[in-house]
Amino acid sequence: MILMSAAAQAEEPHPENFLSEEPEVAYWLHCAGCHGLEGRGIPPEVPSLINEPGRIESMPGGREYLLRVPGVSQAGLDDENLAAVMNYMMYEFNSATLAADFAAFSAAEVAQHRAQVLQDPLRRRSEIVAGVQ
């Protein structure tokens, strides 16, 4: 058994702090396994994260939808880290479609919506898109 001093333990990095500072790494660890490092996914089973989330985000109900899809809402990240990963994904993969007035996701917004996991994300997505047309 290795004993560490209190000072050494306090300096030891905590994963949640690391992820808050490095959302790209959190994306790699929690999202890239399915969506790929470049966000391409394998449509239709695994949707692409390129450009489409940027379009959906500005639609009525779109922000909530993005936070309620099962892969997001059930991610093994706390609310602050999930917000950071969502913002990374929006800026990294959706800059071409992101609204000029895009407001970054907050931990409070994530907490509010992720608790309501979508049972049928494809149906809800169709409803959101149809509501705009």
Side-chain angles (χ1 to χ4, degrees):
M1 178 177 181
I2 299 174
L3 297 176
M4 294 172 41
S5 71
Q9 288 176 359
E11 292 174 15
E12 192 172 322
H14 296 283
E16 63 275 7
N17 294 334
F18 175 71
L19 295 178
S20 291
E21 296 170 10
E22 298 292 341
E24 181 178 21
V25 173
Y27 172 84
W28 296 341
L29 295 173
H30 295 275
C31 311
C34 295
H35 292 283
L37 291 175
E38 297 175 354
R40 288 195 173 100
I42 307 168
E45 291 81 12
V46 179
S48 172
L49 299 178
I50 301 170
N51 293 327
E52 193 61 19
R55 289 184 191 98
I56 290 173
E57 184 277 332
S58 63
M59 297 176 183
R63 286 179 72 88
E64 294 84 2
Y65 167 80
L66 293 173
L67 296 173
R68 293 180 60 203
V69 295
V72 172
S73 62
Q74 297 175 342
L77 295 166
D78 66 21
D79 297 335
E80 182 180 346
N81 289 307
L82 184 54
V85 170
M86 289 296 293
N87 292 323
Y88 164 80
M89 182 266 305
M90 295 303 283
Y91 289 113
E92 182 70 18
F93 302 132
N94 293 274
S95 61
T97 57
L98 206 55
D101 63 349
F102 172 73
F105 290 101
S106 69
E109 182 180 21
V110 168
Q112 177 184 358
H113 297 294
R114 81 184 296 190
Q116 306 162 11
V117 181
L118 284 172
Q119 298 303 310
D120 191 345
L122 295 178
R123 182 175 61 104
R124 182 63 186 132
R125 179 186 183 129
S126 295
E127 292 169 354
I128 289 169
V129 172
V132 172
Q133 296 175 348

